[in-house]
């Protein structure tokens, strides 16, 4: 459910500084950042107390205040609000023509994303779509915001748009759980179309990338398919899944460009003896590939880091 998503993920992003951000700077939060964070905290508390409308009102008021300030309209740069270093790097890799790019401090994307997610929970789908689209403008590399944006169309029963948006998310997934989420979305799409073999294949692919909660969700869906088809749905071969991927425009496995980008930055940082950054990027590449060689390289870097502490 949307509020579970808000409390379970956007708030985690809000309350925990990511490695990427921590590695970039330890600067003190600005007064504006503190004010936005305070509004988000109040909204979280309201959600936890099941006051979803109150949460929406708090977030709407803060958004109106921020918009009235007319920030970052100076035409001097393209301003974004990335949550992690990898998101920034992916954006620069995909859009080398956009210069300069400035990653702002204020958590504006999270403010809009949480507002959109709360509106989604309230069933205000058009307003939710608008808020989430703005959040994606601020951070076009966040798979989590993109999933919530796609959820709007799932709730509208617009399955073709839901599938189209989901397939686009693969190109920004740099975590295994995000890839798993994409396949669960596709599984849902195929279930709605009663394309049972395709659905089974997607849920099984999801399970190969998912964490515990995601595996549980996929297992429940597979049980539903089994019951619905009286056990007649079959498990497609990898070759069949590749043909489904070609036909319905989704990849089998992680995005090669993301792996390449993480490897490039990791090895560049290693060559420059920036070990913490090297570990960050190479860990992303390793988790996507499970390469034995990368694991050995990472172990060596992390051993050096522990000795320097």
């Amino acid at each position: 459910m949307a509020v579970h998503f808000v409390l379970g993920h956007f708030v985690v992003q809000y309350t925990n500084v990511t490695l990427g951000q921590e590695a970039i700077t330890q600067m003190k939060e600005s007064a504006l950042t503190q004010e936005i964070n305070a509004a988000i905290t109040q909204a979280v508390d309201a959600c936890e107390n099941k006051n979803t409308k109150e949460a929406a009102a708090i977030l709407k008021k803060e958004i109106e205040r921020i918009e009235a300030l007319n920030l970052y309209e100076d035409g001097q740069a393209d301003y974004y609000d990335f949550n992690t270093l990898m998101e920034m790097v992916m954006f620069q890799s995909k859009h080398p023509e956009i210069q300069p790019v400035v990653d702002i401090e204020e958590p504006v994307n999270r403010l809009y994303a949480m507002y959109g997610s709360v509106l989604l929970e309230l069933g205000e789908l058009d307003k939710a779509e608008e808020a989430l689209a703005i959040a994606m403008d601020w951070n076009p590399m966040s798979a989590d915001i993109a999933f919530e944006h796609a959820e709007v169309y799932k709730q509208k029963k617009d399955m073709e748009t839901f599938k189209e948006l989901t397939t686009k998310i693969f190109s920004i997934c740099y975590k295994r759980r995000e890839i798993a989420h994409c396949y669960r979305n596709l599984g849902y799409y195929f279930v709605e179309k009663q394309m049972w073999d395709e659905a089974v294949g997607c849920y099984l692919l999801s399970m190969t990338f998912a964490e515990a909660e995601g595996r549980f969700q996929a297992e429940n869906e597979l049980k539903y398919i089994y019951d619905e088809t009286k056990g007649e749905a079959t498990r497609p071969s990898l070759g069949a899944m590749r043909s489904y991927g070609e036909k319905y425009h989704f990849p089998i496995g992680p995005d090669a460009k993301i792996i390449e980008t993480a490897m490039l930055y990791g090895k560049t940082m290693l060559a420059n003896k920036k070990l913490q950054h090297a570990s960050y990027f190479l860990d992303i590449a390793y988790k996507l590939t499970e390469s034995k060689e990368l694991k050995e390289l990472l172990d060596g870097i992390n051993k050096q880091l522990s000795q320097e502490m």
Side-chain angles (χ1 to χ4, degrees), residues 230-243:
K230 297 179 171 53
E232 292 183 3
T234 61
R235 176 176 184 157
S237 66
L238 183 57
M241 284 307 299
R242 291 189 189 282
S243 69

Side-chain angles (χ1 to χ4, degrees), residues 176 208 284-295:
R176 295 181 70 86
T208 67
I284 289 170
Y286 166 67
K287 285 175 178 172
L288 291 176
T289 62
E290 298 184 326
S291 161
K292 181 180 177 182
E293 292 78 11
L294 267 178
K295 179 67 165 64

Side-chain angles (χ1 to χ4, degrees), residues 90-99 101:
M90 287 194 303
F91 182 83
Q92 291 173 329
S93 176
K94 287 175 178 289
H95 300 284
E97 77 284 0
I98 299 180
Q99 294 291 338
V101 172

Side-chain angles (χ1 to χ4, degrees), residues 105-117:
E105 174 194 344
E106 293 81 15
V108 180
N109 88 64
R110 281 158 282 183
L111 179 64
Y112 279 100
M114 187 174 181
Y115 182 49
S117 195

